[in-house]
Every structure is written in structure tokens, then in C-alpha cells.
Amino acid sequence: MSTELVTMNIGPIHPSTHGVFRMRVTFDGETIIDAEPIIGYLHRGSEKLAEERTYTQVVTLTDRMDYTASMTNNQAYILSVEKLSGITPSVRGVWLRMIAAELQRIAAHSVAIGFLINDLGAWHTPLLYLLREREKILELFEMMCGARITNSYLRPGGVFMDAPDEFWPSLNKFLDDMPNRLDDIENLLTDNEIILARTQNVAILKKEDAINASITGPMLRASGVDWDLRHRNPYDFYEKISFRRPLGTVGDNNDRYLVRLQEIRESLKIVEQCLDLIEPGPVKPEEVPFLVRPPQGESYVPIEAPKGELGFYLVSDGSISPFRCHVRAPSLINLTLLRDMVIGYKIADLFVTFGSIDVNMGEVDR
Amino acid sequence: MGPIRESFIFEFLYCHLSLEASCSSVRILNVAFIPEDLSWISFILTSFFWIFVFINAALVGVLVLIWGERRLIGKFQARLGPNRWGPLGLFTPVADAIKVMFKEDIEPTLSDKLIYVLAPILMVVPVFMIFPVIPYGAKTFLTNISVGVVFVLAITSINSLSVLMAGWASGNRFAIIGGIRAVAMLLSYEIPMGISAAGVVIVAGSLSLSEVVNNQVIPNAIFQPLGFITFLIASTAELNRSPFDITEAESELVAGYMTDYSSMKFGLFYLGEFMATIASSAIIVTFYFSGWRGPTFIPSEIWFLTKWVGVIAIFIWFRATFPRLRIDQIMSLAWKGLFELSLINLLVLALMIAIWPDPSGMQLLIMTLVNWVVFFLSIYIFGKILSPNLTGNKIKKRSVVYGLD
Amino acid sequence: MTKVLSGSEIEDLLGSNFKNQIEAIGEDYVQVSNDKSLDLFNNLKIDHQYDLLSSVTSVDRISHFEVVYHLTSLQKNESLVIKINCGEGRVDPKVKSVISVWRGAELQEREIYDLMGIMFEDHPNMKRLLLWENFEGHPLRKDFVS
């Protein structure tokens, strides 16, 4: 019986792609032969815009790149600026930065896991449970800096505002409640037969392929590589904190889901340790000028963002704006292997795999 | 006229219309005016009245189900459901219906206009025919046909024809693919449904639905759990509900068979699905939960209504909890799982009823125990066999390892 | 802590084989020439275990263009920076693609071509990535006026 290949466009507007993402897929019946991603629908020219703004104004640009993880975007940029200009941040500012970054990691992973299970077809129930926890984190952020999502909380040298008094009891309450909620969600999802049947042994990614394709973050750790920048290349005060790094064994969709879930637990422990070690003091050193003017040079400080290794390559020519600001976007680079991972699997696996890579279009297109 | 005169609701109205002598004990008011030799007129009038009531009740039931499903799923997801329109949001389905009616009716250039228009009608109309056949109370029913079980199973299989017509007439290659895939699923799940229903018939000794209810001393859900589970899962698949809703969520991946339908035609598909849910729940209550039977201090209609709402809530619970299965996993489950399980159920029941044709007391208890042992054993064995076959590879629970310092 | 190699340490690492390829040694980078750059990268990847290409990026230095490679070694926990100059006088910038060494350069090199206009030879899919196909010009260049 003669069959023909069907080429279809899974368009930029689609309920299952996280943002505006387009794929041109070729099927043979039910099996995928080719999947070509086409991106650029959210390109706003952030790198060019950064060349016309002062170093502090660029912080607002970095918020909007990976809009589910603003704090870590800010952190990557500010660390690069501080290395370039030789500013030593204040101690309390650094602890507040770390608390904000780890809370942001919990929120970003909640979104990732929630939407992955949503793509599997569980009509929003686990998604809403996880978004309810994220709501609490966003309220904490609102207490800290006044904004929920695009925070612009960090400044060269620390943060711009100290957390108010009502922040600390709320944070403690959140840390007490969250492990129980995570247990509930895990009981519902992790051993569920249908989720296991849909995600195990689908889209397997091997170690060597992952490293060769510059994959970083939870996707790399799910393939079994123990590379976490907070552990290997500690920035801020991460060497004073101890935490475990969950690794996967097979490298399929199920491992990527499990790794993110366990990373939420580890982030809770990191926040608790930060709470024990934080000291009162100024949140930003006073000698940091309003207009930062770094000397000529360049810097690249990679950090462990929720999506992978995020780093800002800054080149300075001595003026108040960066000469060149390049973002090493983890979501874009993690997309390299999407095509290889889905070839040979069924249509229904395409969206589950795409969800497990955890891509944010704001970061892919910048 | 036969057995319909035993139905209390029919008798009540008939006697108030006809001047028949045998009716005088039922009449409360003295308004009868049709003479005895024209009793066929009063028969027709009564029938049309109750048909009108049943059709409207079915439609109102769909409206209540739309509201009820959204509120209940909201409760599962820790949020309020719709609560804006009307008290508690009760007018939300009315708003839905008005929205669907006023949308633009897009007409694609088609291969076959007649089939295109007929497909949604065929989805809705047969489901209306299930409601008259079911006994709602000890003396409340509209008809009492002697082949009720077969009738009901036949009606529930018409929706596969409608899906095929919708997919074909759309003229759109993805709709055809989606429609064929949906029909494959629907046909595969009718077989476990039929075989489980045969298990019910063996216990009841008759194909008539009222006999099925009358002869259930122990509810069949407890007496033949294997049959109940297979019938429940097969019903969920027949209704295109989660976890078997590839036809609806098909729109996320490939355009499903409903894409080219808009406005009221789409509304009819939507209506048909909800009405089929209500009808299937009524069938499950009749087959497996002993219908209207219950302690007599509460009227039997209330018992039926409670069990009915309970089964509908089970369907909504499935939808809120389970993710979707892939089409090859669905076919695997039907042919390599449910088919064998329902056959085992039938075999065991047939043997037991052959040994003890008229069970009572102790014998019933022993048969129930045997059925439960067979239930656990066969699910365990088939779980072990089926699990690797469901995905083509072994699945097992897994946990992460941690990096060494 | 990842050890960031300084310019002289990178020169020692590369050894005598690639002495004539090194054009300049900066404080924390080494600038190499474009010809036979693939041999140098293969040597770094296989002999010195620099298996993770952190990023490929480009800078417009007004008189010429620059392509910057950040490499990381997972086993040794070290990182280094390699630069290649191209397009002297802003004319026809061309660099050899490292996609045969590290697959991860695929999308990053397409983005550099799209936004900066540097051509990568031997890249299997040299098309624009973020902007649409008929766009004229390369926005990240310093002389681009919208």
C-alpha cells in the first residue's frame, strides 16, 4: 500500500507550544520523520538595545528575556557587571540575591513541570496545584521589590531594597508548607501509570551527545552528567551552602521531569540555609556610583539558571553603556537536539518532549 | 398496550384523559373527557406528553451537567468553578449555549454537503432514545421493551458512524486521519462493553432492563467486579472522555474530526457528548448498581437519582485526574487487556450460573468471593503481562540518583 | 572553582604544535588565525578534554570583526577563551564553522550570521535564525541604522 509523507506546520499560535514557536514536521503515518524548528517570533533586539542603555538600565531588559525566571537573569547580568567593574557586593545583598534566585528556581520549575503534565493531557489539575505554590512565591517577591514577575531587583553591588519585616515570617511559613505540598503532588504524579507509560524511554538523550551539543542545566543532569555551576564554579556564597544534585539515569522525558521535581526540594533546603546565615547590614555598598563606568575589558560569568547555563558576555569600552552585551541563552542551545530526539517517535510524543526540554521563547529569541 | 400501563407516570396521565372504567381508582380529579372506544387518542396524547417531557428533561440535564462538571473540576483543582452568571454560576451553560448559537457558521467548500450536515444530528438524536427505556423507579418508566440490553448497546455504537461521517465530509486530510483514528478506538471498545453486558444478562436471566434491575439481589458492581471495571473503562472510551480523549485533544496536535464545524453544528457535537455521558451513567446504574433498588424509606426515584449523580461524578473524577493515553496504548489496552478480562468474567459467571442456576444466600456469597478472587488474580497477571507491552518496553518506577561530592 | 586560564597558560596548553597559529596573547584570551583553526579546536577537544562549548559570540570592533569562543572542560573544571579575527576593513567576514567539532555551535553560528553578518564556511544550514529571510542588513553591526 503506497503511503505518502505529510508535512505540516505546527504554527506559532498553538495551545501546546510554550509561547510563539513554530515547527515544520513531516510524518509518515504516525511516526515523525523530520522536525524543523523555526524561531524568531519574539525577537525584540535586546542585545542591540543594551548598547544604548546604561548598565543599570539594562537590568530591566534582562528581566524580560526569560520571563519566568527574572531574578536569575538579573543575577547573571549583575555578576558580569561586577566582575567587569571590580565592585565588591555587600554581604547582605548577596544573601538576599541568593534567596531570591532559589525562590525563582522553585517558581520556574513549577511552571515547567506543570505545563509538561498539562501537555500530557491531565486537564490542568497538577498545573493548578503547582501554580498555587508559585502564587505564594510571587507574593513573596512582591513584598521584596514590588513586582511579581519582571522584578529588576538586583543592582550592581547588591539589591536595591531590603526585604520588609513581614517578609521573613511569610517565607518561613512557605518553607514549612511546601514539602508537604510537594509530597502530595508527587503522590499524584510520579508513580502514575499513565505518566510513566507516556514519558519513559521516550526521546532518550545520551551523555556524549548532550555534552557535544552544549546542553546544560537540568536537561544535562537528567542524562547523567554531574555538572552544576553552583557546585563546580560557585558564585555569590554558594560554597558556604551544601546541597545535592539530582541526576537522571536514562535521559528520557521521565528523568527530566524527576530531576526538576527533586531540584525544587533542594532549592528549599538552600533557602533554609541562607536564612540561617544571613546577617543584617546595608544591601548595597555606598561607594557604588549611580552610573557605573567600568574600565575597558570583557567578562563572562556563567550561572546556573533554572533552564541551564546563563551568562552575559559584556565588552566595555569605558563608557556608561556596554559596548557589546551577548546573552548565552540556555533555551536556544537546548533546542539544538529537539529534532534528533523526536525522530522515530509518535506525534503525541512531540509536545511532551518539547515540554520536557523546558524552553522559554523570551530567551530563545531575546 | 401491555406493560406500559404498569408505569405509574403513564397511568396517572392516561386515566385523567380517558373515561375508561378500569382507571377510576387512579383518578384524583374528575377531568377525563375521552370516551373508552377512542382510548387510542388518549394513549397518543399521553405518549407525546411524556416524550416531550423526557426530551426536555434530557436537554436540561445536559445544561446541569455542563455547570456541574465545571464546578466539580474546579473543586478538584482548588479553585471556584464558574460563579458569575446567576446564583452559583447556574446560568453559565445558558451563556455557553447562546455563545455557540451566535457564532458564525462557516461553510467550507465540501465534497458532500448532506453528510456534513447529517453528522452532528446523528450524534445527538440516537442518544435521546436511551432515556425512555431505563427504569427510573419501581413504577416509573416510559417503555419496557424485552430486549433492552441489546437496544442500549446498539444505540451507543451509532456515534462511531457519526464520527466517521464528520471526518470524511470535512474534506480535510487531517480530519479524516483524526476521524479514522477515533472510529478505530470506538469500535475496539465496544467489544468489552458487549461482553461485560453479557455477564449482566447471565445473572439477570433476561435481556429486559427491568428484569436486570429486579433480579439484582447483590448489586452487580460487587457481584462481578471484573465486569464492572471493564464496562466502566469501555464506557469512558466510548464517550471520548479522559483518559481516552484523543479525539478532542486531537485539536492540540492534529486537527480532529470536529475542526470544520462551527456554531450550532459544533454545539450539537458538544451536546451529544454530554448527553451520552448522562445516558451511559444511567445505563451503568441500571446494570451494575441495581437501578432504583434501595431501602424503601426513601422513594426509589431518589435512589436512582443519587446513584446516577454518583456515576456521573466518577466520570468527572476520571477527567480531572488522569493524563491522556497515546492511541497505540489505547488500542493495546482494549485488545490485549479489556477483551481478555471481560471474556474471563463471562466464563467464570457462566460456569457458576450453570452449576447453581438460582443462587440464594450462601451460594451468592460464595459466588461473590470467587468473583473477587478472580478479579484480583486476573488484574495482577494481566498487569504484569500488559505493562511492558503498553509502551513496547519495560516501565517501572524510577527515582533520581544524587551526584557525589 | 572553575579555573579560568590566562593567556600564557593557554599558550602553554596548546604547546608547540600550534605556535604559528597564535596571533596575539591577551590577559585572559588567545587569538588564533582562521586557517587550520579546526585542527586546533579538535586538539583542544580530544587531547585536552575541552568538551563543552559554552558559547560562540561575536563583537564588532569597528575595524574588524571578532568571533569569541568560550570553552569549558567538565573533567578538569577549567575554562578558556579563544578569539578569531575576521573581516579586516569590514569586508567579507568569513570564519570556519566548528559544527564538526561541537554540535552546539549550530544555532549560535546561525544567529551570528543573522545579526552580525559573519559567514561560517561548511555550516550545513546557513540561514537566518531570528529575523525573516528577506531582511536586509545585519542589525548588531555598529553601522546599522534602522
Side-chain angles (χ1 to χ4, degrees), chain A residues 223-242:
Chain A
S223 297
V225 180
D226 187 6
W227 180 252
D228 185 335
L229 280 169
R230 295 171 288 172
H231 177 245
R232 296 282 181 206
N233 190 8
Y235 47 96
D236 283 349
F237 290 147
Y238 275 105
E239 56 248 344
K240 303 185 187 171
I241 309 280
S242 75

Side-chain angles (χ1 to χ4, degrees), chain B residues 212-382:
Chain B
V212 165
V213 172
N214 286 336
N215 288 350
Q216 271 186 55
V217 180
I218 307 181
N220 275 335
I222 302 176
F223 187 61
Q224 28 176 324
L226 199 54
F228 172 56
I229 294 292
T230 46
F231 194 89
L232 190 67
I233 298 179
S235 277
T236 320
E238 284 292 314
L239 297 171
N240 287 336
R241 285 184 76 94
S242 264
F244 303 102
D245 57 350
I246 45 156
T247 54
E248 302 178 343
E250 200 75 90
S251 350
E252 285 185 70
L253 311 170
V254 180
Y257 67 91
M258 282 196 279
T259 21
D260 277 327
Y261 287 90
S262 56
S263 176
M264 206 54 212
K265 300 196 187 76
F266 174 76
L268 281 177
F269 273 122
Y270 195 56
L271 189 81
E273 188 203 319
F274 278 101
M275 205 176 306
T277 310
I278 300 180
S280 282
S281 310
I283 297 170
I284 290 182
V285 169
T286 316
F287 281 6
Y288 287 102
F289 286 101
S290 62
W292 47 261
R293 289 168 70 118
T296 46
F297 56 87
I298 298 180
S300 54
E301 287 83 356
I302 306 281
W303 277 117
F304 188 87
L305 201 63
T306 319
K307 295 179 198 177
W308 203 358
V309 172
V311 176
I312 295 182
I314 292 182
F315 279 130
I316 299 179
W317 194 2
F318 281 177
R319 181 177 190 187
T321 321
F322 291 124
R324 215 172 284 139
L325 283 172
R326 230 172 34 208
I327 182 68
D328 56 320
Q329 294 166 347
I330 293 176
M331 301 300 276
S332 229
L333 184 65
W335 289 106
K336 293 193 256 190
L338 292 184
F339 181 49
E340 280 84 352
L341 289 175
S342 53
L343 278 179
I344 291 176
N345 178 48
L346 188 63
L347 191 66
V348 169
L349 266 181
L351 275 173
M352 290 199 296
I353 299 283
I355 300 175
W356 294 312
D358 198 7
S360 65
M362 200 61 203
Q363 293 168 333
L364 267 178
L365 212 57
I366 298 176
M367 287 161 89
T368 315
L369 280 172
V370 169
N371 269 328
W372 275 89
V373 167
V374 168
F375 171 58
F376 282 120
L377 260 179
S378 43
I379 296 240
Y380 180 72
I381 295 176
F382 271 89

Side-chain angles (χ1 to χ4, degrees), chain B residues 53-301:
Chain B
V53 167
F54 266 72
I55 291 182
N56 281 301
L59 292 171
V60 170
V62 168
L63 289 182
V64 175
L65 176 62
I66 293 178
W67 169 83
E69 171 163 28
R70 297 227 206 128
R71 293 279 304 192
L72 191 60
I73 289 193
K75 291 266 179 287
F76 276 115
Q77 295 173 348
R79 57 181 177 97
L80 306 168
N83 61 351
R84 285 273 171 242
W85 291 103
L88 287 179
L90 278 167
F91 292 158
T92 316
V94 177
D96 253 357
I98 297 177
K99 168 195 84 168
V100 162
M101 268 193 279
F102 281 111
K103 284 200 173 183
E104 178 191 348
D105 198 7
I106 304 173
E107 291 238 342
T109 52
L110 297 171
S111 49
D112 212 321
K113 258 216 162 58
L114 181 66
I115 298 186
Y116 177 76
V117 172
L118 271 183
I121 301 175
L122 198 62
M123 177 75 96
V124 172
V125 171
V127 184
F128 281 117
M129 294 199 279
I130 299 185
F131 291 107
V133 187
I134 297 174
Y136 296 101
K139 286 195 178 305
T140 316
F141 54 89
L142 197 53
T143 73
N144 186 11
I145 55 180
S146 53
V147 288
V149 173
V150 176
F151 179 75
V152 151
L153 287 177
I155 299 275
T156 51
S157 27
I158 296 184
N159 66 345
S160 35
L161 179 64
S162 158
V163 165
L164 194 59
M165 284 165 68
W168 171 260
S170 295
N172 164 7
R173 102 173 83 148
F174 306 119
I176 297 179
I177 297 178
I180 292 182
R181 199 183 301 175
V183 167
M185 178 181 86
L186 292 172
L187 290 179
S188 320
Y189 277 91
E190 281 174 24
I191 299 186
M193 234 168 116
I195 302 181
S196 310
V200 169
V201 168
I202 286 184
V203 170
S206 149
L207 283 173
S208 150
L209 283 174
S210 51
E211 287 298 307
V212 165
V213 172
N214 286 336
N215 288 350
Q216 271 186 55
V217 180
I218 307 181
N220 275 335
I222 302 176
F223 187 61
Q224 28 176 324
L226 199 54
F228 172 56
I229 294 292
T230 46
F231 194 89
L232 190 67
I233 298 179
S235 277
T236 320
E238 284 292 314
L239 297 171
N240 287 336
R241 285 184 76 94
S242 264
F244 303 102
D245 57 350
I246 45 156
T247 54
E248 302 178 343
E250 200 75 90
S251 350
E252 285 185 70
L253 311 170
V254 180
Y257 67 91
M258 282 196 279
T259 21
D260 277 327
Y261 287 90
S262 56
S263 176
M264 206 54 212
K265 300 196 187 76
F266 174 76
L268 281 177
F269 273 122
Y270 195 56
L271 189 81
E273 188 203 319
F274 278 101
M275 205 176 306
T277 310
I278 300 180
S280 282
S281 310
I283 297 170
I284 290 182
V285 169
T286 316
F287 281 6
Y288 287 102
F289 286 101
S290 62
W292 47 261
R293 289 168 70 118
T296 46
F297 56 87
I298 298 180
S300 54
E301 287 83 356

Side-chain angles (χ1 to χ4, degrees), chain C residues 84-135:
Chain C
I84 298 184
N85 277 10
C86 57
E88 283 300 326
R90 302 181 79 84
V91 172
D92 197 22
K94 250 205 274 252
V95 172
K96 287 218 180 47
S97 165
V98 295
I99 195 173
S100 51
V101 185
W102 294 286
R103 178 86 189 277
E106 177 182 342
L107 291 177
Q108 302 186 71
E109 287 182 349
R110 272 180 71 182
E111 184 195 337
I112 296 177
Y113 164 64
D114 189 4
L115 297 177
M116 196 68 97
I118 301 177
M119 200 59 150
F120 285 86
E121 300 161 4
D122 304 326
H123 192 283
N125 195 13
M126 194 90 260
K127 288 194 307 198
R128 282 187 180 269
L129 187 71
L130 297 176
L131 298 168
W132 59 97
E133 289 103 26
N134 299 330
F135 190 87

Side-chain angles (χ1 to χ4, degrees), chain A residues 76-77 80 84 297-301 310-316 322-328, chain C residues 29 55-59 61 66-70 81-83:
Chain A
Y77 173 71
S80 212
L84 192 59
E298 58 193 40
S299 75
Y300 175 72
V301 180
L310 174 68
F312 279 74
Y313 175 66
L314 284 173
V315 176
S316 151
F323 182 73
R324 172 82 169 103
C325 170
H326 172 77
V327 186
R328 188 250 186 232
Chain C
Y29 66 89
S55 90
V56 182
T57 178
S58 63
V59 189
R61 294 278 188 193
E66 212 173 67
V67 180
V68 183
Y69 299 86
H70 286 86
V81 179
I82 306 260
K83 295 195 191 186

